[in-house]
């Protein structure tokens, strides 16, 4: 994967090494005291477990909190103190690696609608040692997805990482076995991982490749296959799984302000983006979701209102314009705690409410936006046995890959690492800690050879 996690890891494996600036004072007193104990020692060579102990923030991963605290010391308190890190390019510390990605560097950011505004502030999307605001030179706090995709591609060029990246690469198999003997002469056993696939070229040509590696890092994100409802009629042609389908229908004039409502299913940010887009175009909306509006697990209940006024607005609409109360807004109604039962061929959606009553609505188009699953079909058993609970489907939010919190190495397979959403880190701001942990672990392995 060549999204933010893969790019950040490539930067660290290319010999770019973080040190604490000699005169820097971190605002967190305990962290500052620990940093002062090892002046002149790279963060990659320090004990990440020890450094991250006692840090708190909007993330479960201790190393993610540590790296974030070093890059953005007081951002959660509204400050914009500079990073306490300085970066030295030490070529002798570089580890040979290759980054395989289906898209251009930036991963899934290239497939998001380019004009969509990002959830995170621009500064939180940045990678080490190239601030987004410096790169953009504009004072917008929230960049668009197109800006960010361009920034990631540019980052790879500016930092001289391009020779490590292969774009258009599709991995079809990662296999492992016991190391075979390399024959006589006391040679090392052959590598543990065999990675194969193909690179797409011009005119859709496919060139196969085959690599052997001692370590493999899974950084493929989780946006590969949209989650499905599993109800009858879901395969009907008016049911879709991405916002682009609604945009195309509006452009083609098949959905208009005068048509039946668009049904949006889901209560996450993708669903909110779809509601905002439909309302912007004057398209009537029915918005259905299974949870109560005040469920603390809803993402809207975790976002600061000041930073995300548009999402707060959607949440307010979900609450105030439900079918249970008279709606002051024409063209939007929400169906909290409603479960979809089936779709009918004549464009009808059948629901069941919390009291077991059934309701039927005519719709122009359906967007099912209830999350997505990673595609790890290239792994033995599709990676199922790597998850925290091997009996449940792999999920970034509920059942990520089980990794050691300080190395991000799989607890089940030595040499296999997972970073980003696959390991449960879902914001760009926090995926970089995983890259730090992996780089630190790989450097220790190199030193131990």
């Amino acid at each position: 994967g060549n999204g933010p996690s893969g790019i950040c890891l490539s930067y660290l494996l290319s010999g770019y090494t973080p040190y604490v600036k000699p005169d820097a004072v971190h605002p967190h007193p305990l962290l500052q005291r620990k940093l002062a104990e090892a002046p002149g020692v790279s963060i990659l060579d320090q004990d990440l477990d020890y450094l991250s102990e006692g840090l708190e923030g909007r993330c479960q991963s201790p190393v993610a909190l540590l790296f974030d605290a070093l890059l953005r010391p007081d951002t959660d308190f509204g400050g914009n103190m500079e990073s306490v890190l300085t970066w030295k390019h030490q070529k002798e510390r570089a580890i040979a690696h290759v980054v395989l990605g289906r898209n251009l560097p930036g991963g899934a950011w290239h497939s998001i609608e380019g004009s969509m505004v990002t959830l995170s502030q621009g500064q939180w999307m940045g990678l080490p040692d190239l601030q987004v605001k410096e790169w953009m030179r504009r004072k917008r706090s929230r960049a668009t997805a197109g800006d960010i995709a361009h920034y990631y591609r540019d980052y790879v060029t500016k930092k001289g990482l391009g020779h490590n990246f292969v774009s258009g690469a599709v991995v079809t198999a990662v296999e492992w076995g016991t190391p075979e003997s390399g024959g006589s002469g006391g040679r090392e056993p052959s590598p543990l991982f065999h990675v194969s696939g193909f690179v797409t070229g011009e005119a859709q040509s496919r060139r196969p490749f085959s690599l052997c590696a001692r370590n493999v890092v899974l950084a493929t994100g989780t946006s590969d296959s949209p989650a499905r409802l599993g109800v009858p009629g879901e395969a009907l042609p008016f049911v879709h799984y991405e916002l682009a389908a609604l945009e195309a229908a509006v452009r083609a004039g098949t959905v208009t302000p005068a048509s039946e409502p668009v049904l949006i299913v889901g209560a996450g940010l993708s669903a909110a983006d779809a509601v905002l887009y439909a309302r912007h175009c004057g398209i009537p909306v029915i918005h259905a979701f299974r949870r109560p509006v005040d469920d603390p697990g809803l993402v809207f209940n975790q976002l600061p209102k000041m930073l995300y006024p548009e999402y707060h607005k959607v949440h307010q609409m979900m609450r105030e314009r439900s079918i249970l109360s008279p709606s002051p807004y024409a063209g939007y109604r929400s169906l909290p705690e409603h479960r979809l039962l089936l779709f009918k061929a004549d464009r009808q959606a059948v629901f069941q409410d919390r009291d077991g009553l059934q309701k039927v609505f005519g719709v122009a188009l359906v967007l099912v936006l209830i999350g997505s699953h990673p595609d790890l079909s290239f792994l033995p058993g599709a990676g199922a046995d790597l998850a925290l609970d091997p009996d449940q489907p792999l999920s970034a939010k509920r059942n990520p890959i089980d990794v050691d919190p300080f190395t991000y190495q799989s607890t089940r397979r030595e040499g296999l690492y997972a970073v980003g959403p696959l390991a449960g880190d879902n914001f760009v701001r926090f995926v970089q800690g995983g890259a730090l942990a992996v780089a630190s672990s790989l450097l220790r392995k190199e030193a131990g050879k």
Side-chain angles (χ1 to χ4, degrees):
N2 63 0
S5 301
I7 296 171
C8 185
L9 181 55
S10 178
Y11 180 69
L12 294 166
L13 295 182
S14 297
Y16 288 95
T17 310
Y19 291 85
V20 175
K21 292 173 187 166
D23 52 347
V25 178
H26 199 283
H28 191 294
L30 179 61
L31 179 56
Q32 171 56 30
R33 199 162 73 237
K34 290 176 180 175
L35 293 170
E37 289 168 10
V41 179
S42 157
I43 297 295
L44 285 167
D45 299 327
Q46 295 196 41
D47 182 340
L48 300 181
D49 186 348
Y50 174 64
L51 284 182
S52 57
E53 198 181 1
L55 293 177
E56 291 177 355
R58 302 178 188 179
C59 174
Q60 299 302 307
S61 158
V63 182
L65 288 173
L66 169 66
F67 203 25
D68 187 62
L70 297 170
L71 290 169
R72 290 168 277 270
D74 56 355
T75 188
D76 277 339
F77 303 102
N80 55 0
M81 180 179 165
E82 274 191 19
S83 169
V84 297
L85 297 179
T86 182
W87 295 85
K88 297 179 185 172
H89 193 198
Q90 299 173 311
K91 288 183 181 151
E92 69 283 4
R93 292 174 64 105
I95 294 177
H97 64 282
V98 61
V99 184
L100 303 172
R102 286 170 183 255
N103 296 314
L104 294 166
W109 284 93
H110 289 286
S111 53
I112 298 170
E113 175 60 32
S115 59
M116 298 271 295
V117 176
T118 63
L119 170 61
S120 298
Q121 297 184 69
Q123 67 196 36
W124 292 353
M125 314 301 288
L127 296 172
D129 204 30
L130 177 61
Q131 288 194 10
V132 171
K133 67 173 185 227
E134 271 175 30
W135 176 83
M136 282 176 67
R137 293 274 175 226
R138 293 199 294 278
K139 282 294 176 202
R140 271 200 323 242
S141 70
R142 307 246 309 272
T144 67
D147 291 333
I148 296 301
H150 188 177
Y151 164 81
Y152 291 139
R153 218 170 65 213
D154 233 26
Y155 185 91
V156 168
T157 311
K158 277 188 158 50
K159 298 296 181 187
L161 310 177
H163 62 283
N164 298 314
F165 283 72
V166 180
S167 297
V170 177
V171 174
T172 52
V174 174
E175 294 157 307
W176 50 78
T178 50
E180 293 155 22
S181 163
S184 58
R187 275 163 45 203
E188 283 194 338
S190 59
L192 291 175
F193 295 94
H194 180 214
V195 182
S196 51
F198 57 85
V199 179
T200 50
E202 288 161 21
Q204 298 302 296
S205 64
R206 292 182 166 195
R207 203 169 70 248
F209 69 80
S210 178
L211 302 167
C212 287
R214 292 208 167 279
N215 301 284
V216 169
V217 184
L218 302 172
T220 52
T222 68
S223 57
D224 295 303
S225 55
R228 293 192 162 26
L229 292 161
V231 300
E234 201 170 358
L236 287 163
F238 59 90
V239 181
H240 301 274
Y241 298 89
E242 62 281 317
L243 181 54
L246 176 58
E247 291 168 342
V250 170
R251 274 199 303 273
T254 52
V255 172
T256 69
S259 58
E260 290 278 23
V262 167
L263 169 61
I264 295 166
V265 183
L269 298 169
S270 303
D273 283 333
V275 169
L276 289 166
Y277 178 79
R279 298 306 298 131
H280 174 71
C281 300
I283 308 291
V285 170
I286 295 173
H287 184 192
F289 42 97
R290 299 216 292 209
R291 296 187 188 195
V293 183
D294 47 9
D295 185 321
L298 276 190
V299 69
F300 305 104
N301 292 317
Q302 301 165 17
L303 294 176
K305 290 176 191 174
M306 295 290 285
L307 285 179
Y308 308 104
E310 70 278 46
Y311 289 125
H312 178 59
K313 182 74 184 164
V314 172
H315 192 210
Q316 203 180 336
M317 285 164 63
M318 287 161 69
R319 179 181 286 114
E320 291 177 10
R321 294 148 183 74
S322 84
I323 198 166
L324 312 169
S325 59
S327 170
Y329 257 88
Y332 173 91
R333 72 196 313 188
S334 73
L335 307 180
E337 299 179 78
H338 278 60
R339 202 161 58 88
L340 250 163
L341 297 181
L342 70 145
F343 297 109
K344 294 181 173 178
D346 58 353
R347 293 183 187 256
Q348 289 195 319
V350 183
F351 288 92
Q352 186 174 35
D353 70 10
R354 61 183 170 194
D355 301 321
L357 291 174
Q358 289 194 11
K359 296 169 187 166
V360 183
F361 295 93
V363 295
L365 180 131
V366 178
L367 285 184
V368 178
L369 301 169
I370 54 172
S372 56
H373 297 299
D375 175 9
L376 296 178
S377 57
F378 54 85
L379 292 177
D385 58 332
L386 301 173
L388 276 171
D389 180 352
D391 299 326
Q392 294 297 318
L394 197 69
S395 148
K397 293 202 169 68
R398 285 175 287 283
N399 193 29
I401 290 178
D402 191 10
V403 295
D404 177 291
F406 301 103
T407 64
Y408 278 64
Q409 186 167 237
S410 160
T411 56
R412 316 263 156 79
R413 170 71 38 190
E414 191 179 345
L416 187 69
Y417 294 80
V419 289
L422 289 175
D425 295 339
N426 288 296
F427 284 104
V428 172
R429 178 181 164 189
F430 294 122
V431 302
Q432 299 171 47
L436 180 76
V438 174
S440 170
S441 169
L442 292 177
L443 280 161
R444 284 200 168 83
K445 283 184 180 180
E446 284 289 302
K449 274 187 186 172

